[in-house]
Amino acid sequence: MRRLDFYKKYYEITDRIYTDRIVWYAKEHEKYWRKGQFHISKTERRFSIATQYGILLATIILFAIRNYWGGAIGCLWFLCSSIITTDFSIIKIEILYHIYNSNNLYTNLLYQAFLEKPLELPQTKKQISGFVRINRNKLVAKYCVVFRKKHEKVFLIITPFKIKLKSKSLNIVFNDRTKTLDEISDDISEALKNM
């Protein structure tokens, strides 16, 4: 995947949780909150991103002319803004780009989770109905396993280096990078049978 395409995809996916228009009233805040959206609009987010990178440029200039206090304050403001308000930090996007581009099974599954595609492990369909994503983290995808019959609560956790099946009684780790999706799917299916 090309870097520019990833930046566009990152912006598009993270932009979904922002409202389509500016929210003025508390009732509207609640309405969008119930939909899982921030009360910040897409327009406000674009303006904040432009402002935060303008501040970053000003910070670099302040450091260049040796105004370290002004540069430090600008740098702090930039970091807080990019993490809290806009979720558009170049450092974070670059880290994700390199992780998702590392081309192993676990990072491919993480990238699919980032794209909000459903998790499909073909060999597990006999034991379970599917997986429900329960977090929005971009480095760790956590799924709740939905069994066909009532069963102990089991979680499937995908990280860049392993897959973990976790329940109250069991904690199984799959971290063989040489395996294919079908082989890992078989291993997970076998582990789910024994739970």
Side-chain angles (χ1 to χ4, degrees):
M1 108 185 71
R2 288 180 32 234
R3 182 174 267 111
L4 183 61
D5 294 336
F6 182 72
Y7 271 75
K8 287 177 184 175
K9 185 58 80 176
Y10 181 89
Y11 181 82
E12 177 187 309
I13 288 171
T14 57
D15 204 42
R16 292 178 190 161
I17 61 170
Y18 294 90
T19 62
D20 291 328
R21 59 190 189 86
I22 296 174
V23 178
W24 297 104
Y25 303 106
K27 277 190 173 184
E28 288 179 316
H29 280 271
E30 185 177 345
K31 176 180 138 187
Y32 288 111
W33 174 76
R34 288 188 187 280
K35 288 181 179 179
Q37 292 182 315
F38 284 134
H39 63 274
I40 298 170
S41 72
K42 290 174 173 46
T43 306
E44 290 170 314
R45 181 186 189 213
R46 281 192 291 274
F47 177 75
S48 294
I49 289 171
T51 304
Q52 87 188 28
Y53 285 98
I55 294 285
L56 179 62
L57 181 63
T59 300
I60 292 168
I61 292 168
L62 287 171
F63 276 123
I65 62 171
R66 299 192 177 160
N67 183 345
Y68 299 116
W69 281 106
I73 291 169
C75 193
L76 183 65
W77 187 91
F78 169 77
L79 288 173
C80 289
S81 172
S82 64
I83 293 169
I84 297 168
T85 310
T86 62
D87 193 16
F88 199 81
S89 164
I90 288 179
I91 296 168
K92 179 180 179 181
I93 297 169
E94 280 297 316
I95 289 170
L96 289 173
Y97 174 74
H98 287 290
I99 288 172
Y100 293 156
N101 230 8
S102 63
N103 208 12
N104 71 49
L105 172 67
Y106 308 115
T107 56
N108 288 341
L109 288 173
L110 265 181
Y111 184 60
Q112 296 304 313
F114 170 71
L115 295 176
E116 299 175 353
K117 292 185 178 176
L119 176 63
E120 292 185 17
L121 299 174
Q123 281 71 11
T124 61
K125 290 189 178 187
K126 293 174 189 170
Q127 287 85 25
I128 64 168
S129 297
F131 302 93
V132 177
R133 179 94 186 260
I134 56 174
N135 73 345
R136 287 187 170 272
N137 194 318
K138 294 168 187 70
L139 284 175
V140 177
K142 187 173 183 180
Y143 294 89
C144 184
V145 180
V146 180
F147 287 92
R148 294 187 188 282
K149 296 178 182 172
K150 200 165 186 169
H151 206 278
E152 178 183 12
K153 198 173 246 190
V154 178
F155 298 100
L156 182 97
I157 302 162
I158 303 171
T159 71
F161 310 106
K162 63 187 174 192
I163 294 177
K164 190 189 311 184
L165 268 178
K166 190 173 184 174
S167 69
K168 282 185 181 177
S169 60
L170 240 321
N171 193 10
I172 303 169
V173 176
F174 307 96
N175 59 1
D176 185 354
R177 290 186 180 200
T178 61
K179 290 195 173 186
T180 65
L181 179 62
D182 287 337
E183 291 170 334
I184 285 287
S185 185
D186 280 337
D187 293 346
I188 291 171
S189 177
E190 196 60 41
L192 289 172
K193 270 187 211 172
N194 300 327
M195 290 187 141

